[in-house]
Amino acid sequence: MNFRIVFSNSGKNNGDSVEDELEMATVRHRPEALELLEAQSKFTKKELQILYRGFKNECPSGVVNEETFKEIYSQFFPQGDSTTYAHFLFNAFDTDHNGAVSFEDFIKGLSILLRGTVQEKLNWAFNLYDINKDGYITKEEMLDIMKAIYDMMGKCTYPVLKEDAPRQHVETFFQKMDKNKDGVVTIDEFIESCQKDENIMRSMQLFENVI
């Protein structure tokens, strides 16, 4: 989900903070106090106010459902089909699995992706790839994510990718990650592999670029 457009309003005056606080109290979903979100994230109060203004602009009710999330996300990848990847991404942001992403959910995820440590980002990436949230990544799950990324990037990639590129990609990475060859990748195997292999780490950074 991309809210780059909201930063164009950053030059507004201090009166906006009062206005934002009042508006925050009137939406149907009332977010946590900015001070609390500031403590829980790596954003300043001013940055949170700007982000909230952009979030509220797109989602006046204070929460975003999956369909709206997909619509917003598709605007940034018109050359491909982002539907499936947006579905997986939505589930990663929807940490309490209630079918909606609140401003708090969005900020906590965005804080990790933009300003988190390598360990925090890898934990977040593992959660994204662990589609059924059972604590393991299977080859099928990794392939589903990889196919979704390739679909989203569209046919306009250069050089043009072969049809079986996602599967080849996954076969190579899964073989490296599944240290004990039990057919699944644990979070420890995932993090260790990513940190030790520069190629895997570069590939894992792809998900940051498509947020």
Side-chain angles (χ1 to χ4, degrees):
M1 196 172 191
N2 192 316
F3 281 94
R4 284 173 290 186
I5 51 172
V6 301
F7 288 103
S8 62
N9 293 325
S10 59
K12 289 195 175 184
N13 60 38
N14 291 335
D16 282 332
S17 26
V18 177
E19 180 188 329
D20 285 343
E21 298 284 1
L22 289 171
E23 286 174 339
M24 285 174 109
T26 60
V27 293
R28 273 175 282 166
H29 173 85
R30 183 177 179 178
E32 296 170 9
L34 285 185
E35 289 79 7
L36 186 55
L37 276 177
E38 188 180 358
Q40 292 174 342
S41 72
K42 298 183 182 181
F43 295 117
T44 65
K45 187 172 180 179
K46 183 60 182 173
E47 286 171 331
L48 288 169
Q49 287 167 345
I50 295 167
L51 285 165
Y52 178 71
R53 194 178 298 126
F55 187 91
K56 186 188 60 180
N57 216 31
E58 298 283 355
C59 321
S61 67
V63 295
V64 57
N65 61 28
E66 185 171 337
E67 287 312 305
T68 304
F69 187 92
K70 287 176 179 176
E71 286 171 19
I72 294 169
Y73 205 70
S74 68
Q75 296 169 26
F76 300 99
F77 296 93
Q79 76 279 17
D81 181 0
S82 63
T83 307
T84 305
Y85 187 76
H87 164 73
F88 294 138
L89 193 61
F90 180 87
N91 287 340
F93 273 104
D94 180 18
T95 51
D96 51 8
H97 311 301
N98 65 353
V101 171
S102 66
F103 182 62
E104 295 92 333
D105 294 332
F106 175 64
I107 286 300
K108 288 168 187 174
L110 195 66
S111 176
I112 290 171
L113 290 170
L114 294 183
R115 296 179 182 173
T117 63
V118 170
Q119 182 88 12
E120 287 170 336
K121 289 179 180 181
L122 289 175
N123 274 313
W124 200 94
F126 181 88
N127 179 55
L128 175 69
Y129 279 84
D130 178 18
I131 294 171
N132 67 358
K133 311 307 177 196
D134 65 351
Y136 302 95
I137 299 173
T138 64
K139 191 180 290 185
E140 290 72 27
E141 285 176 319
M142 190 176 283
L143 184 59
D144 285 345
I145 295 285
M146 205 60 68
K147 279 181 177 175
I149 291 174
Y150 277 71
D151 286 345
M152 180 175 61
M153 303 313 286
K155 306 294 183 187
C156 306
T157 52
Y158 181 83
V160 176
L161 298 164
K162 294 179 182 176
E163 204 66 37
D164 62 347
R167 186 172 293 279
Q168 289 178 350
H169 201 133
V170 167
E171 288 291 344
T172 302
F173 283 177
F174 202 87
Q175 192 175 359
K176 289 180 180 179
M177 288 183 174
D178 184 15
K179 302 288 187 188
N180 60 359
K181 309 302 177 192
D182 62 352
V184 294
V185 172
T186 65
I187 190 160
D188 289 338
E189 287 175 325
F190 181 81
I191 289 174
E192 183 184 346
S193 299
C194 288
Q195 289 179 328
K196 284 186 176 177
D197 192 305
E198 195 176 316
N199 289 327
I200 295 179
M201 199 65 174
R202 270 203 302 268
S203 177
M204 289 299 110
Q205 285 168 354
L206 175 62
F207 80 89
E208 289 181 54
N209 298 330
V210 295
I211 294 300

